[in-house]
Amino acid sequence: MPPLLELDRVTIRFGGLTAVSELTAHVGGHELVGLIGPNGAGKTTVFNLITGVYQPTSGDIRFAGESLVGRKPYQITGRNIARTFQNIRLFPSLSVFDNVRVAFHLHVKHDAVHSLTRFRAFHAEEKEIAAQTMELLDIFDLGKFRDEPAKSLPYGSQRRLEIVRALATKPKLLLLDEPAAGMNPTEKTELTKLIRFIKDKFQIAVLLVEHDMQVVMGICERIAVLDYGVKIAEGTPTEVRANPKVIEAYLGEEPTPG
Amino acid sequence: MLARSQYYLLAALAASFVASLFSGSFNSYFLDVAVTCGINITLAVSLNLINGYTGQFSLGHAGFMAIGAYSASLLTTNFGGKLLPLVGGQTWIFFPLALYAGGVVASVAGLLVGVPTLRLRGDYLAIVTLGFGEIIRVLLQNVDAVGGARGLIGIPDYTTLFWTFGLAAITVYTVWALVNSTYGRGFIAVSNDEIAAEAMGINTTRYKITAFVVGAFFAGLAGGIYAHFKQYIAPQGFGFDKSIEIVVMVILGGMGNNVGVIIAAILLTVLTETLRQFGDYRMILYSLLIIVLMIARPQGLFTWTGWKRKSA
Amino acid sequence: MSEFLQQLINGLSLGAIYALIALGYTMVYGVLRFINFAHSDVFMVGAFVGYYAIEKWHLPANSIGGGLLALAMAMAICAALGVLIERFAYRPLRGRSTLSVLITAIGVSLLLQNVAQNRQIGFGPNPKAFPNLFPYSNFHLGALTVSSNQVIVLIVTLVLLAALYFIVNHTRTGTAMRALSFNPTAASLVGINNDFIISFTFALGSSLAAAGGILYALNYPSIDPLMGTLPGLKAFVAAVLGGIGNLPGAAVGGVVLGLVETLVVACGGSTYRDAVAFGVLILILLVRPSGLLGKAEREKV
């Protein structure tokens, strides 16, 4: 039984710059793994590689034993990997409800023709999706915003909505890209709880890119540290914290507030 | 059991039919303006699917219209003698079939334009679709079989209020129904943020192609209606300025706002008629109006909470 | 062989004109990121100023001094026109979606064309014969024929390109232009007056278009209010070909397009003359959308 996600000596170069170099890592079936590193270490690039936004220059990425290389982002989402974005990318003009509804896209049976004919099965399915959407929204306390356009939500709620939207694609692995960015300490504590809750409630694996050490150290079972695209350490939060290479990599950087 | 929206469609079709029965009692100028309104509604709403809902900036809608107009007219004019008897001489069967054929040819063109150009965005897509429209026009001008620059004459006058507004109603229903479903929200997702849409499992390419094909199909049908109304078509009637006219309707109506776009189509059609009395100054006033309206209300006349787009 | 050389010379002088117009597109795109559709009509106005300078304002025809004066007048008037267009049509839309600006630009283009076509306030719709601004003669080099107008096109283009190069690379304003196109926010933070620089860019681009208009009319001496459309579209293609936003790219793109077009015509494809540009455009956008000299912009995710 291979791990859920495997990165096998993954390298990507942009022109002369090697953004990620020979990265080997894995995420288990129900694991919460953190990926940390100073600014520009290549963390988000790793996400973009996994989700097919970029293609690796060399190496292989496997999910549940199957290679993801060469697949398009929407196909990878179809293989049960969902993500959020560092700079929130909701559908601003769509309502909160529609933002989540549209993410059920992969699981609806109707298409253009059914949208036109609008037979009974179409209505039944739409009703079912609406119910599931509301259920998800209510779990995350967003039900009250259902008809607001996503762009009008407060910042924290937008972050949460983005996570809900990702969950609506029914992932086995959720990639969270700096979910704590721009949050105050109270919000961060809540977020930590929320991530744990998601992992248990939906029985999924989570890979977390985060700048904020407090958040990462608080919830991750295992942490990998990137610096200039190279993995310099890996282990439990305690091990990583004690690793001299990690301390050195973060030295010179301003200490992260939080 | 029909859905409520489908009752509205039937009601609109019935109303067009009734209006058509009384068309003899309207004066011909009114009829002319009414049919032009109906055609423009079809054109603007079908372009709204591409430009408004899906966020792809096409400047070649008149090209699709031309393809539909020429295809349908060739069928009814050159082959009418052979084909009409096959349906028992009934023009009410023959005409929609000819229109449909024109729509299909136009949608094939939509596919041909859509597939290679979908990687392009914004300005670039606009320029390429503009180029496509111009290429269609130049080709039509140089093919003698379709009359060349002189155009096609002697097209039978099959167009009635029923066909015109029946088509407009079907177009509005189609675009509405397509967008109003979980599947259809994908169009708007594509226009909002392509990268996020892909990350939600949405095949953005397929959505864009669908929008182009459906939009082109209805533009083609509108072209057929237009041809069998004017009874004469020429390449210069489907130029860049016609495409612009349709785009202006969509933008003034408010991108992705069907009701607004319908109102804008009617308003601009009537306005163009009204401006005729200014003779040589008509187009000057028209272009000034475009500039002023774009500055004053870029989100459209009828969109009160216009959505903000990222400027590229 | 001499036939080929002859076409090369013809293509080069046509390409030089495309290059002048393409520079305007690319400069505006560089600072504002949109296609200035009205640019091709500024080109048309430039040609008409040249016409009026001789026919109505009685500058001497067939003289180098008169020709240069007409050229300078066209460039100055069009520079002012460009600044006015930007000030009243585009500036109110600053920061709005590309789409609204594009439509406004089309509106401005329609406005210029229709005002120009108007008999009372414009030039009227009929084509006019463009006078000979400069003394005309043909030079024969073996089997080659080079007209003095072609030589003038090449000389004027080279001088203008050199001037532009100097302005962009060796003046404070030019440096500010480059800074603005690199990052408008940062530019205004370091104290650059973005409004002034944008006006300046329009003035510069429009005066080059005016020069292009005069030079074009010298070689194709029939001018009318819609004359800008096709050369304008082709120059735009040239700008895309070279990599839009890239100044040397626009110059190179113009010359390449002029050569390709002339060679296609020489090879018997004269009915496809105008289709060449669109073919090149579609090809380049599909194969190398960033253009010959452009850098690919990667969207940050």
Side-chain angles (χ1 to χ4, degrees), chain C residues 26-27 29-33 164-188 190 192 194 197-198 200-201 204 245-248:
Chain C
T26 240
M27 277 194 276
Y29 194 91
V31 294
L32 288 179
R33 297 281 183 277
L164 182 70
Y165 179 85
F166 178 79
I167 292 173
V168 171
N169 290 302
H170 297 286
T171 63
R172 284 181 65 92
T173 321
T175 312
M177 258 175 81
R178 283 182 292 143
L180 182 58
S181 80
F182 192 70
N183 185 338
T185 321
S188 67
V190 296
I192 291 172
N194 285 7
I197 298 301
I198 289 169
F200 182 76
T201 307
L204 214 54
N246 181 315
L247 292 180

Side-chain angles (χ1 to χ4, degrees), chain B residues 12-282:
Chain B
L13 290 175
S16 320
F17 184 69
V18 173
S20 203
L21 293 179
F22 291 99
S23 61
S25 55
F26 301 133
N27 76 43
S28 64
Y29 178 70
F30 174 82
L31 218 55
D32 191 295
V33 176
V35 169
T36 312
C37 275
I39 292 169
N40 282 339
I41 290 174
T42 305
L43 288 169
V45 171
S46 60
L47 184 67
N48 195 24
L49 178 66
I50 304 175
N51 284 20
Y53 289 112
T54 320
Q56 303 303 300
F57 196 11
S58 168
L59 271 181
H61 218 50
F64 297 129
M65 184 191 176
I67 292 175
Y70 271 86
S71 309
S73 306
L74 283 176
L75 278 179
T76 56
T77 314
N78 292 11
F79 301 100
K82 289 199 193 87
L83 295 175
L84 194 52
L86 291 181
V87 291
Q90 302 291 325
T91 54
W92 64 272
I93 302 178
F94 182 48
F95 183 42
L97 287 178
L99 285 179
Y100 182 78
V104 169
V105 180
S107 64
V108 170
L111 189 70
L112 291 179
V113 184
V115 172
T117 55
L118 287 176
R119 286 193 292 144
L120 310 171
R121 291 191 193 156
D123 292 2
Y124 282 86
L125 185 63
I127 288 294
V128 170
T129 49
L130 185 160
F132 151 79
E134 289 295 289
I135 288 172
I136 295 287
R137 196 176 55 79
V138 171
L139 282 180
L140 289 174
Q141 242 158 15
N142 287 309
V143 177
D144 280 331
V146 296
R150 283 166 289 117
L152 266 185
I153 49 164
I155 304 167
D157 65 334
Y158 290 157
T159 294
T160 62
L161 281 180
F162 171 69
W163 294 120
T164 310
F165 283 93
L167 174 64
I170 291 172
T171 310
V172 173
Y173 171 79
T174 303
V175 172
W176 177 87
L178 218 47
V179 175
N180 278 287
S181 69
T182 301
Y183 160 84
R185 282 297 183 253
F187 289 103
I188 306 178
V190 171
S191 87
N192 270 210
D193 189 332
E194 274 185 46
I195 286 173
E198 283 269 332
M200 292 306 115
I202 290 169
N203 184 345
T204 51
T205 312
R206 172 172 288 180
Y207 271 92
K208 291 191 224 166
I209 291 177
T210 306
F212 260 97
V213 168
V214 174
F217 176 73
F218 284 104
L221 288 175
I225 296 272
Y226 171 83
H228 292 82
F229 170 62
K230 293 285 180 197
Q231 297 175 258
Y232 160 74
I233 47 175
Q236 55 268 29
F238 305 100
F240 178 46
D241 34 349
K242 182 66 193 172
S243 291
I244 297 294
E245 197 187 315
I246 311 169
V247 170
V248 169
M249 288 169 187
V250 172
I251 293 195
L252 287 189
M255 311 269 288
N257 172 353
N258 267 340
V259 177
V261 168
I262 294 169
I263 300 175
I266 297 172
L267 270 183
L268 278 172
T269 311
V270 174
L271 181 81
T272 321
E273 286 303 317
T274 320
L275 286 178
R276 277 194 203 287
Q277 57 183 298
F278 295 102
D280 284 350
Y281 290 90
R282 181 173 78 98

Side-chain angles (χ1 to χ4, degrees), chain A residues 124-240:
Chain A
E125 191 181 33
E126 286 290 51
K127 220 169 158 181
E128 172 61 29
I129 291 167
Q132 288 185 30
T133 303
M134 281 318 290
E135 193 188 322
L136 266 182
L137 285 176
D138 285 332
I139 293 176
F140 294 91
D141 201 24
L142 289 166
K144 57 182 183 249
F145 296 126
R146 68 165 280 172
D147 295 322
E148 308 275 326
K151 66 179 171 207
S152 69
L153 288 195
Y155 182 80
S157 306
Q158 289 199 12
R159 281 249 174 244
R160 243 180 313 145
L161 179 57
E162 214 192 8
I163 298 176
V164 178
R165 188 182 64 171
L167 287 172
T169 66
K170 304 188 180 167
K172 292 197 178 87
L173 171 67
L174 178 62
L175 309 177
L176 298 175
D177 197 347
E178 300 214 10
M183 286 188 168
N184 63 35
T186 337
E187 287 173 327
K188 279 179 188 166
T189 321
E190 271 174 32
L191 178 79
T192 317
K193 280 192 218 141
L194 187 77
I195 295 174
R196 261 204 216 100
F197 167 78
I198 289 170
K199 180 183 167 248
D200 295 335
K201 162 104 184 161
F202 297 91
Q203 290 292 308
I204 56 174
V206 178
L207 178 58
L208 177 72
V209 157
E210 188 47 75
H211 208 71
D212 188 286
M213 289 303 231
Q214 226 101 17
V215 173
V216 184
M217 294 295 170
I219 51 172
C220 291
E221 291 145 18
R222 201 153 51 76
I223 292 172
V225 189
L226 274 188
D227 191 26
Y228 293 109
V230 180
K231 186 168 85 177
I232 55 168
E234 188 174 2
T236 63
T238 334
E239 287 166 359
V240 165

